[in-house]
């Protein structure tokens, strides 16, 4: 249950949703459960997890595990993808009139850039997880690291 507090707060931070709370805690928990389901299907893990997206629940609690950042980053990517699709229906317009033009494309471009960066962050974290045998950061700070 503590994952719903900790991982939700991390996700709120990435979304810059800590002051406005545009997303309810329950909605963010559902996004995290959906993300966990995708993460657990994409990579092989040492532990076995059960995910229920309707409650939402993830068992055992992944909060203190190396897979927790992957879940948060994947949820962030999923939310941005959803927001991009929603904005694309209303912001993808342009009006030209002789010497002037108005476009709603700017907001869409910014969100697309955020989505691409989020996808890259997740992919980089996934590669780090896979190359470090589940210990994120060990691929860089491996056995040849000096204590000095």
């Amino acid at each position: 249950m503590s994952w719903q507090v900790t991982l939700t707060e991390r996700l709120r931070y990435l979304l810059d949703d800590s002051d406005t709370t545009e997303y309810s805690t329950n909605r963010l928990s559902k996004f995290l459960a959906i993300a966990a389901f995708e993460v657990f299907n994409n990579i092989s893990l040492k532990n076995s997890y059960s995910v229920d997206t309707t409650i939402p629940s993830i068992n055992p609690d992944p909060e203190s595990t190396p897979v927790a950042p992957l879940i948060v980053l994947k949820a962030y990517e999923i939310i941005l993808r959803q927001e991009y699709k929603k904005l694309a229906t209303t912001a993808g317009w342009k009006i030209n009139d002789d010497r002037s033009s108005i476009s709603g494309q700017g907001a869409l471009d910014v969100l697309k850039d955020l989505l691409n960066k989020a996808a890259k962050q997740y992919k980089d974290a996934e590669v780090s997880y896979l190359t470090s045998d589940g210990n994120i950061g060990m691929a860089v700070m491996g056995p040849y690291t000096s204590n000095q």
Side-chain angles (χ1 to χ4, degrees):
M1 189 65 159
S2 66
W3 69 268
Q4 288 180 313
V5 175
T6 307
L7 299 187
T8 300
E9 286 303 312
R10 291 180 192 171
L11 185 55
R12 276 194 196 285
Y13 176 77
L14 285 175
L15 292 168
D16 196 23
D17 190 46
S18 55
D19 295 333
T20 60
T21 58
E22 180 180 336
Y23 299 97
S24 70
T25 301
N26 187 49
R27 188 170 179 207
L28 290 179
S29 295
K30 285 188 180 216
F31 278 119
L32 287 164
I34 291 166
F37 184 78
E38 286 191 27
V39 168
F40 299 153
N41 282 331
N42 289 340
I43 60 175
S44 59
L45 300 167
K46 295 175 186 173
N47 297 335
S48 177
Y49 289 91
S50 70
V51 178
D52 188 345
T53 57
T54 57
I55 296 177
S57 71
I58 306 171
N59 289 311
D61 190 342
E63 177 197 8
S64 303
T65 65
V67 79
L70 294 174
I71 295 170
V72 173
L73 288 172
K74 181 52 99 172
Y76 179 55
E77 180 186 350
I78 290 169
I79 291 171
L80 287 178
R81 190 178 324 122
Q82 179 187 30
E83 292 295 324
Y84 181 75
K85 287 179 182 179
K86 188 170 34 172
L87 188 62
T89 60
T90 58
W93 54 269
K94 185 174 184 178
I95 299 171
N96 289 326
D97 182 26
D98 287 341
R99 298 179 188 161
S100 62
S101 69
I102 300 173
S103 174
Q105 191 68 31
L108 198 58
D109 290 342
V110 169
L111 196 52
K112 184 177 182 180
D113 187 45
L114 280 173
L115 177 58
N116 289 338
K117 286 179 182 176
K120 184 178 181 335
Q121 283 178 323
Y122 172 77
K123 203 59 170 163
D124 290 348
E126 184 182 59
V127 167
S128 178
Y129 178 87
L130 293 172
T131 57
S132 64
D133 195 29
N135 296 312
I136 295 177
M138 288 303 291
V140 175
M141 305 299 283
Y144 302 108
T145 303
S146 171
N147 289 338
Q148 299 175 357

